[in-house]
Amino acid sequence: MADKYFYDAFISYRHTDLDKFVAENLHKQMEAFRLPRHAAAKHSGKDRIRRVFRDKDELPLTNNLEDPIIKALHNSEYLIVICSPRLKESLWCKKEIDTFINVHGREKVFAVLIEGEPEESFPDALLYVEETVENPDGTVETVKKSMEPLAADVRGKNKRDMLKAMRTEILRLLAPMFSVSFDDLRQRHRERRMKRILAATALGALVCFLFGTVSTAMALRIQMQKEQLRAQSAEIQVQSEEIQKQSAEIQSQNSRLLEYQALNLAEESARKLAEGDR
């Protein structure tokens, strides 16, 4: 931004729903835009739009603009006018445009067409310029000469389409503000966007690779755990069979012991009986 200007741009618009929607999003996109440093160094030295003035409240119609508005217009390098058929109904916007032109000239006034056709949406101050001409008979008269302002066209069927168009059309406004051509800025924007897409793709591939690696490691670990569980299950099965064998052996020994005890008791009883000891 030039040192003598506090604001890079002043946005003039009607405070109706669609006009306000475009003004707010244009404001955000302008301040979020970054020009590559090597490109900035090559041209104006400016790599970003630092300050944009946007009056958030439409003030009542008066004969004179409020002091803060006048100050902001004087301290803005460019004027951006949001153009719709409703714009011509606003005396306030007309005063802002006239004041800026009187201070800075028409060359730094840009239009953003959001609805309708240019002839019904652009203010007269951007469509015509008055010139004084001298007729052959020596008389002098003032005539209107048609002119075509620098304009961005963001018209669309809905707000989503308009935002999509704005991403490209905003470059028409930013190009002269950065002292570069529209085609050059658009090419740089495409290259930058492509780099972001490639970076995002590479990041996505890396994430997928890492996810696949982790998933494979987890799958191998699960497989190993399954094998360990199978081995432990087989070992438990062998131990269970061994225990069953030991249990059967113990039961067999108990049976023989009981049988032996029964025989001893029977023999002892027979001996006592033979001795007459009932």
Side-chain angles (χ1 to χ4, degrees), residues 40-264:
K42 185 178 178 181
H43 297 280
S44 64
K46 179 167 64 177
D47 64 349
R48 59 180 291 191
I49 302 299
R50 300 185 181 277
R51 296 188 187 91
V52 175
F53 183 91
R54 178 175 58 85
D55 188 16
K56 296 181 180 179
D57 299 307
E58 190 168 47
L59 302 177
L61 293 178
T62 59
N63 290 330
N64 298 303
L65 295 174
E66 297 291 331
D67 288 342
I69 302 298
I70 294 176
K71 185 177 180 180
L73 287 166
H74 279 260
N75 286 284
S76 298
E77 187 173 5
Y78 295 92
L79 175 67
I80 298 174
V81 185
I82 308 300
C83 299
S84 70
R86 295 171 293 279
L87 180 68
K88 292 185 177 182
E89 301 170 0
S90 174
L91 271 178
W92 189 263
C93 290
K94 183 178 184 303
K95 290 178 182 294
E96 289 177 342
I97 296 167
D98 290 342
T99 300
F100 185 90
I101 290 176
N102 288 335
V103 175
H104 302 288
R106 301 174 187 276
E107 297 77 16
K108 293 190 174 183
V109 182
F110 305 149
V112 178
L113 183 61
I114 68 170
E115 202 174 38
E117 297 301 322
E119 58 271 14
E120 64 177 335
S121 301
F122 288 175
D124 289 345
L126 300 186
L127 289 175
Y128 307 100
V129 60
E130 292 185 349
E131 290 186 351
T132 301
V133 296
E134 183 177 351
N135 296 319
D137 59 1
T139 59
V140 177
E141 64 175 332
T142 301
V143 297
K144 281 187 176 182
K145 180 182 178 182
S146 297
M147 59 179 296
E148 185 176 346
L150 188 150
D153 187 350
V154 300
R155 290 175 294 181
K157 295 180 181 179
N158 50 51
K159 290 180 178 180
R160 183 178 179 180
D161 288 346
M162 296 176 75
L163 285 176
K164 185 177 179 180
M166 193 182 299
R167 286 195 289 268
T168 300
E169 287 296 302
I170 192 176
L171 301 179
R172 296 188 188 278
L173 310 178
L174 293 173
M177 298 174 73
F178 286 114
S179 301
V180 299
S181 69
F182 169 66
D183 290 335
D184 187 25
L185 190 60
R186 181 171 57 178
Q187 182 62 28
R188 293 180 186 277
H189 184 66
R190 285 177 178 173
E191 291 174 356
R192 194 173 183 182
R193 183 182 177 189
M194 185 60 65
K195 288 180 180 178
R196 287 199 297 265
I197 292 174
L198 291 174
T201 303
L203 180 60
L206 178 60
V207 170
C208 291
F209 173 75
L210 293 175
F211 178 77
T213 302
V214 172
S215 298
T216 302
M218 290 180 65
L220 291 173
R221 184 176 179 181
I222 292 171
Q223 185 64 29
M224 290 176 62
Q225 290 175 345
K226 285 183 178 180
E227 294 296 335
Q228 291 175 354
L229 288 174
R230 288 195 189 99
Q232 291 174 357
S233 178
E235 185 177 352
I236 291 171
Q237 182 67 27
V238 171
Q239 292 175 353
S240 176
E241 291 175 356
E242 184 66 26
I243 291 171
Q244 288 177 359
K245 289 180 181 180
Q246 292 176 357
S247 177
E249 181 65 25
I250 291 171
Q251 288 178 359
S252 177
Q253 291 176 359
N254 286 339
S255 296
R256 290 196 298 271
L257 180 60
L258 289 173
E259 184 180 355
Y260 176 73
Q261 289 176 345
L263 289 172
N264 285 341

